[in-house]
Amino acid sequence: MSADMSTNLGREPIRIGLLSQDVKLMSVLSSTLGREFLVLTASDAERAKEMVTGSLCNALILDADCGFCSGEAYYDEILSGEVPVIVMADDKDRQKALQLVERGAHSYARKPPVIPELRNVLRRAYDGRLLKGELDSARRQLQKLIGLDQLAGSSACMQAVYDLIRRVTNLDAPILVTGESGTGKELVAQAIHNIGNRSKRPFVALACGAIPETLIEAELFGHEKGAFTGTVGVREGYLEKAGDGTLFLDEIGELSLQTQVKLLRVLQQREFSRLGSSRLIPLRARIILATHRDLGQMVTEGKFRQDLYYRINVVNIRTPALRLHMEDICLLAQHFLQRYSQMYRKPVETIDPEALLLLENYSWPGNVRELENVIQRAIIIADGDSIRAADLPETLQELDVSEFDEGLPASTFERLLHDYKVKLAKEAIAQCNGNKTLAAQSLSISRAYLHRLIRLSPLTVEIPRVIEAAAS
């Protein structure tokens, strides 16, 4: 039995799309690749488009000398798809093929082809696509299974949060979520709801700090007609609206002591009544509470009831500040990049290395919410397909990126690259007679970045003698 036949046992042939007008190449590949592969040909633009945009092929071979496959837009369309592209070229088109590989093609193959080599290239492209599909599918299934599709982060502290979320999904006791502002406390509450036995029931959120003290009880408990001045009719409160679902009370540290007493009674008795009514209504909802305050300290200061604190602090999930899991910044930034580039329909797909360096070395006092806002803003003002340092707020641009680069080990690629950038900056400033604005323009970089490059590397700029003489 041949190697090709044994490899093909038990699975469908690998469908290869060949975009070419070379009749001889079509014949050679169709007859020599073997039964493991099924070659589908396209010799015109319309048929090629079907192969690129449809699901006809597992891999594509693009003949670099193909007449109908030309132009930047056409190449972008071919390379942007999910099907891996192998560019085939002879010596005269080799440079063109390598440029296409740099733009996203899977690999390069020689023309005329060496069939054993081409088989291996095609198998690697096919296996790589299969693996990527399996990983994407597994990631989606995992996120769907654990309900964490709105949360991102792979660090140890975030894994601990995910583990706690999974453990309390069907818990009917109160759950307390604590953490600094902007760390995603409501997302945690939503995840608990989504993966629990109440997922098909309502999820109702109430921001306690956003409602005046005089109205908070009416919002929580509801009221009957005429319960107090200004009431027109009967109104359900949030405790009632949640039904058999989940009620999320955000910023419970803002509740007055009087309201805390009434909330405690609801949690203990599992019943409540509307304002202006004595009819008791059973509490069916699960209660999740959140705060950025230190409730223990508030108890000590007499600002939060101790009995309520012990009642709600059965399970405490603490969302970590972003500065405690900086390793997640890249993943979070990509998460927001994908979300907002789709929302604003802008083809922003990457984050420039310099911009990413700034993101990863900022202290993030506003936590994940601040990072989200920064990425959203950057996508709005970005001109190209990548977020650059100039697209970030000034507070990030003013960071001394040279400090980060100076810590790189000597002789590494990154350190050599940094040193070369500093050398170019020095030369540009010298050529522009010390004018940093002109120097930055000549290098097509921002003045802020030029300043960061040279800040830790003092320059001795040679002022031309003619200027020196004029000054004297």
Side-chain angles (χ1 to χ4, degrees):
M1 182 181 293
S2 70
D4 288 339
M5 291 180 64
S6 62
T7 305
N8 192 43
L9 284 176
R11 73 178 185 184
E12 294 289 327
I14 300 173
R15 299 186 304 278
I16 305 300
L18 173 60
L19 310 185
S20 175
Q21 292 178 322
D22 187 333
V23 178
K24 183 178 179 181
L25 179 63
M26 295 180 189
S27 176
V28 167
L29 293 186
S30 297
S31 60
T32 59
L33 278 180
R35 295 179 59 184
E36 182 184 358
F37 301 94
L38 174 63
V39 179
L40 307 174
T41 61
S43 56
D44 60 74
E46 185 175 345
R47 174 63 173 167
K49 188 174 182 179
E50 290 179 9
M51 288 189 176
V52 172
T53 58
S55 56
L56 299 177
C57 303
N58 304 123
L60 284 171
I61 296 176
L62 170 62
D63 185 355
D65 193 30
C66 181
F68 65 87
C69 294
S70 61
E72 299 295 316
Y74 197 92
Y75 288 133
D76 287 340
E77 184 176 4
I78 293 175
L79 299 176
S80 63
E82 295 185 0
V83 181
V85 178
I86 294 91
V87 184
M88 184 173 287
D90 54 20
D91 289 340
K92 69 179 178 64
D93 287 323
R94 184 173 182 274
Q95 190 61 36
K96 176 181 177 182
L98 294 177
Q99 289 174 354
L100 291 176
V101 170
E102 290 179 357
R103 292 174 58 177
H106 178 274
S107 52
Y108 156 74
R110 288 181 288 176
K111 179 183 177 184
V114 178
I115 297 303
E117 291 181 1
L118 182 58
R119 288 196 192 106
N120 289 332
V121 169
L122 293 172
R123 289 183 190 121
R124 285 197 299 270
Y126 173 71
D127 291 341
R129 187 189 183 197
L130 278 184
L131 179 59
K132 182 180 182 300
E134 290 171 359
L135 289 174
D136 290 342
S137 176
R139 188 179 294 111
R140 288 192 297 269
Q141 289 296 325
L142 179 61
Q143 289 179 334
K144 183 178 180 181
L145 177 64
I146 63 176
L148 303 176
D149 52 314
Q150 294 302 312
L151 295 171
S154 58
S155 60
C157 59
M158 287 305 297
Q159 292 298 327
V161 171
Y162 302 154
D163 183 59
L164 267 177
I165 289 174
R166 288 190 290 268
R167 290 171 183 268
V168 303
T169 51
N170 297 324
L171 186 68
D172 287 331
I175 299 169
L176 179 62
V177 185
T178 58
E180 296 179 10
S181 295
T183 52
K185 295 185 291 295
E186 184 168 353
L187 293 179
V188 168
Q190 185 77 64
I192 294 171
H193 174 79
N194 288 346
I195 61 179
N197 52 14
R198 299 174 185 262
S199 59
K200 296 183 180 179
R201 305 296 182 182
F203 177 86
V204 178
L206 174 64
C208 300
I211 300 174
E213 176 60 29
T214 54
L215 298 177
I216 187 65
E217 290 186 21
E219 293 294 323
L220 271 174
F221 302 107
H223 59 74
E224 297 289 338
K225 182 178 180 180
F228 53 88
T229 304
T231 55
V232 177
V234 177
R235 181 178 178 182
E236 290 184 347
Y238 280 80
L239 289 167
E240 197 170 350
K241 287 178 181 178
D244 294 315
T246 299
L247 174 61
F248 175 59
L249 299 179
D250 196 11
E251 296 305 342
I252 51 133
E254 309 302 322
L255 294 177
S256 68
L257 292 173
Q258 180 182 352
T259 305
Q260 291 176 32
V261 172
K262 297 184 177 181
L263 178 60
L264 174 63
R265 184 185 182 282
V266 171
L267 296 177
Q268 289 177 334
Q269 303 298 325
R270 301 291 300 179
E271 59 186 14
F272 62 95
S273 59
R274 295 175 185 163
L275 300 184
S277 172
S278 59
R279 183 175 68 89
L280 293 175
I281 302 171
L283 175 66
R284 307 193 309 272
R286 174 191 29 213
I287 308 295
I288 301 178
L289 312 97
T291 182
H292 73 283
R293 290 175 173 262
D294 185 341
L295 294 185
Q297 182 63 33
M298 291 183 68
V299 169
T300 302
E301 296 171 353
K303 297 178 181 178
F304 200 85
R305 291 185 62 92
Q306 186 179 58
D307 46 5
L308 177 58
Y309 176 63
Y310 290 139
R311 185 71 188 180
I312 64 177
N313 197 26
V314 178
V315 177
N316 187 341
I317 300 177
R318 184 161 187 83
T319 54
L322 186 53
R323 63 181 175 276
L324 301 179
H325 57 117
M326 302 287 279
E327 62 268 37
D328 286 329
I329 286 176
C330 181
L331 182 61
L332 287 164
Q334 293 292 340
H335 175 73
F336 296 132
L337 176 70
Q338 183 178 12
R339 176 191 298 178
Y340 289 108
S341 61
Q342 292 176 353
M343 177 183 296
Y344 296 119
R345 298 181 180 179
K346 294 192 68 175
V348 184
E349 299 177 353
T350 60
I351 301 175
D352 184 80
E354 180 196 349
L356 187 58
L357 183 65
L358 294 175
L359 294 175
E360 290 179 333
N361 286 276
Y362 179 58
S363 59
W364 298 109
N367 293 299
V368 179
R369 183 185 292 127
E370 184 182 8
L371 174 61
E372 180 178 5
N373 291 341
V374 165
I375 297 299
Q376 184 178 6
R377 171 190 180 276
I379 289 173
I380 291 173
I381 67 176
D383 288 330
D385 60 358
S386 181
I387 291 177
R388 299 169 295 118
D391 300 323
L392 302 178
E394 290 184 4
T395 50
L396 273 78
Q397 292 189 44
E398 291 171 356
L399 289 177
D400 192 352
V401 74
S402 298
E403 275 188 9
F404 315 141
D405 289 339
E406 285 298 318
L408 295 170
S411 300
T412 63
F413 174 78
E414 291 80 5
R415 179 59 182 270
L416 292 173
L417 180 60
H418 167 69
D419 292 345
Y420 183 64
K421 289 179 180 179
V422 172
K423 179 176 179 290
L424 289 178
K426 290 180 179 180
E427 292 176 351
I429 293 174
Q431 291 170 3
C432 295
N433 301 325
N435 189 317
K436 295 178 183 177
T437 301
L438 292 179
Q441 291 175 355
S442 70
L443 295 172
S444 299
I445 61 175
S446 69
R447 191 181 187 282
Y449 182 42
L450 179 75
H451 183 65
R452 288 196 300 273
L453 279 175
I454 65 174
R455 185 181 298 173
L456 294 183
S457 195
L459 298 178
T460 304
V461 179
E462 292 186 11
I463 301 177
R465 295 184 182 278
V466 63
I467 298 178
E468 197 174 67
S472 61

